[in-house]
Amino acid sequence: MNTKIFSTGLLSTGFLVLTAMYGCGRSESKVTPKKEKETTIATFDLKKEKLSTKLSLPGELIALQQVDLYAKVSSFVKTLKVDIGSEVSKGQLLMTLEAPEMTSQLAATQSRIKAQEAIYTASKANYNRLYETSKTPGTISTNDLDQAMAKKNADLAQLEAAKAAYKEVGSVQDYLTIRAPFSGIISARNVNLGAYVGPTGKGSDLPLFTLQDQKNLRLAVSIPEVYTGYLKAGDEISFTVKSLPSQTFKAKVKRLSGALDLRLRAERIEMDVPNVSKVLLPGMVAEVNIPLPANASTFIISKKALLDTSEGLFVLKVADNKAVKVGVKKGRETDDKVEIFGDLTEGDKLVAEPTEEMHEGMTIKP
């Protein structure tokens, strides 16, 4: 009897213990939701500034005047008066050529002139005699007088033609002397004594001489389309060359093409460079530094504030403590700043250093 009572007590006690355990488990399973943490991120107020920058571009130094000299007629080199490096003045004789057939042609035209002069003299004298005789009525018919006049005029025309042919041959013979069209330096010579020369492609694949004005150079540079509005005639630029890295040269914009090259999409600009001392050489490549003054105030930000993604360029604007992606385009830039254009207004708060992990709508505490 006592044994049954003890067993029943144990069962009752175990039931109470289990009930208490399960009850406690159900009460502890209630979880309070956590609040989303706000991220504190550095921001700044967008404002307009004036950005003055410099643009570095390669340029080419070329002679202000340069010409390749060819022979006008097929001939042979008779004398050479200059060589590479010779400094010549305008009109100076550079070389003489000889063409034996030209001498024969000149002699033939002279003989033709003399023959035509004799024929014209005879026809003119005949006409004069007939004219004087015709003054006596009934001696010379009008038809005979007209025929004599026509013969005289025809012979005169033949004489003028012979004289023109002589001048033509004489003019061509003048091409046998090659003279400098302007003062400069002979930078190339491609012939020797006795060489056969002629018009390009007919005995002269290369020019006889190349003449350059090296005391006056021009600096040519191609300005990309985005920067074409910043330079005008008279603006000063500076440049350096590799052979004289410690020297900085100055030049002023002289000529602007006013159109874009269809291949480079750039405008050609030229500057005149005096080179009396000839320290600069035609063909040198120059590093041109072009100032780009600020024409108006624009939005300027740090390059760190620009988010460069595969989808494009963006800045992160903070609106109502939420991140908003705004697409922008770049303008001019310096080492640490960049000019931007987009749907922005002055005073907007932008994230100072955005990352790709910062998504649209993200909660941001400025």
Side-chain angles (χ1 to χ4, degrees):
M1 188 67 182
N2 292 334
T3 304
K4 290 181 180 180
I5 293 171
F6 179 74
S7 299
T8 302
L10 287 175
L11 290 172
S12 299
T13 304
F15 176 77
L16 290 174
V17 171
L18 289 173
T19 302
M21 290 176 62
Y22 281 109
C24 292
R26 281 195 299 271
S27 63
E28 291 178 358
S29 64
K30 295 180 181 179
V31 179
T32 303
K34 295 181 180 179
K35 293 183 179 180
E36 184 180 355
K37 291 184 179 179
E38 291 182 339
T39 306
T40 302
I41 295 176
T43 61
F44 65 95
D45 292 334
L46 183 64
K47 59 182 180 179
K48 289 186 175 181
E49 300 176 16
K50 286 189 176 182
L51 184 67
S52 296
T53 60
K54 286 186 178 181
L55 179 66
S56 293
L57 292 172
E60 182 185 12
L61 285 166
I62 56 179
L64 187 63
Q65 296 186 86
Q66 176 174 325
V67 65
D68 292 332
L69 300 176
Y70 288 88
K72 174 69 174 179
V73 295
S74 298
S75 53
F76 296 91
V77 178
K78 184 178 181 180
T79 61
L80 285 171
K81 304 293 185 181
V82 294
D83 209 330
I84 293 177
S86 298
E87 187 169 354
V88 299
S89 57
K90 183 178 180 179
Q92 181 177 333
L93 181 64
L94 305 181
M95 69 187 303
T96 58
L97 307 172
E98 60 179 353
E101 64 275 12
M102 295 296 299
T103 304
S104 301
Q105 291 177 13
L106 191 64
T109 54
Q110 285 178 327
S111 299
R112 193 174 298 114
I113 288 175
K114 290 179 180 179
Q116 290 300 326
E117 284 178 344
I119 294 173
Y120 171 68
T121 300
S123 61
K124 181 180 179 182
N126 182 54
Y127 169 76
N128 289 336
R129 284 192 301 270
L130 290 176
Y131 177 75
E132 291 297 328
T133 305
S134 67
K135 291 180 180 179
T136 303
T139 56
I140 301 296
S141 67
T142 304
N143 182 62
D144 290 342
L145 189 62
D146 291 341
Q147 291 292 333
M149 180 183 289
K151 180 70 167 62
K152 183 195 73 167
N153 291 338
D155 292 340
L156 177 60
Q158 290 294 328
L159 175 61
E160 295 298 330
K163 289 181 178 179
Y166 177 78
K167 288 182 179 179
E168 180 183 2
V169 175
S171 298
V172 173
Q173 194 172 37
D174 289 341
Y175 291 122
L176 296 178
T177 56
I178 307 298
R179 298 182 180 275
F182 54 84
S183 300
I185 304 293
I186 301 295
S187 61
R189 176 181 71 86
N190 299 303
V191 292
N192 294 302
L193 289 175
Y196 172 74
V197 296
T200 177
K202 296 181 179 179
S204 294
D205 294 330
L206 298 173
L208 306 177
F209 297 108
T210 297
L211 178 63
Q212 293 180 334
D213 178 7
Q214 297 181 358
K215 292 184 179 180
N216 297 283
L217 304 180
R218 67 178 72 193
L219 175 61
V221 61
S222 295
I223 305 296
E225 180 181 357
V226 68
Y227 300 113
T228 52
Y230 294 97
L231 281 180
K232 61 183 183 299
D235 287 348
E236 188 176 67
I237 61 95
S238 61
F239 68 94
T240 58
V241 293
K242 291 181 179 179
S243 61
L244 301 167
S246 61
Q247 293 189 34
T248 301
F249 302 90
K250 302 286 186 180
K252 289 187 177 181
V253 176
K254 190 72 174 180
R255 291 169 291 275
L256 294 89
S257 66
L260 297 183
D261 181 89
L262 296 179
R263 181 173 55 87
L264 300 175
R265 297 297 174 185
E267 181 183 16
R268 182 183 176 92
I269 293 178
E270 291 185 351
M271 287 71 72
D272 288 346
V273 182
N275 188 40
V276 178
S277 59
K278 294 189 287 188
V279 294
L280 299 172
L281 301 178
M284 280 184 170
V285 176
E287 186 70 23
V288 184
N289 297 313
I290 300 173
L292 300 176
N295 296 328
S297 296
T298 53
F299 291 129
I300 309 298
I301 64 171
S302 170
K303 286 186 176 180
K304 294 180 179 179
L306 191 63
L307 187 60
D308 190 356
T309 69
S310 58
E311 299 175 354
L313 296 173
F314 298 91
V315 292
L316 280 183
K317 182 172 72 172
V318 180
D320 297 330
N321 290 348
K322 299 290 184 182
V324 179
K325 264 188 176 183
V326 180
V328 295
K329 290 184 178 180
K330 285 198 305 184
R332 294 174 297 165
E333 55 185 291
T334 60
D335 293 337
D336 58 344
K337 291 186 177 182
V338 63
E339 184 181 40
I340 61 169
F341 303 93
D343 186 14
L344 297 166
T345 57
E346 195 167 6
D348 286 344
K349 285 193 178 296
L350 302 183
V351 176
E353 296 187 18
T355 62
E356 293 191 14
E357 286 75 17
M358 297 179 184
H359 54 82
E360 181 88 12
M362 176 181 176
T363 301
I364 294 178
K365 183 180 180 181

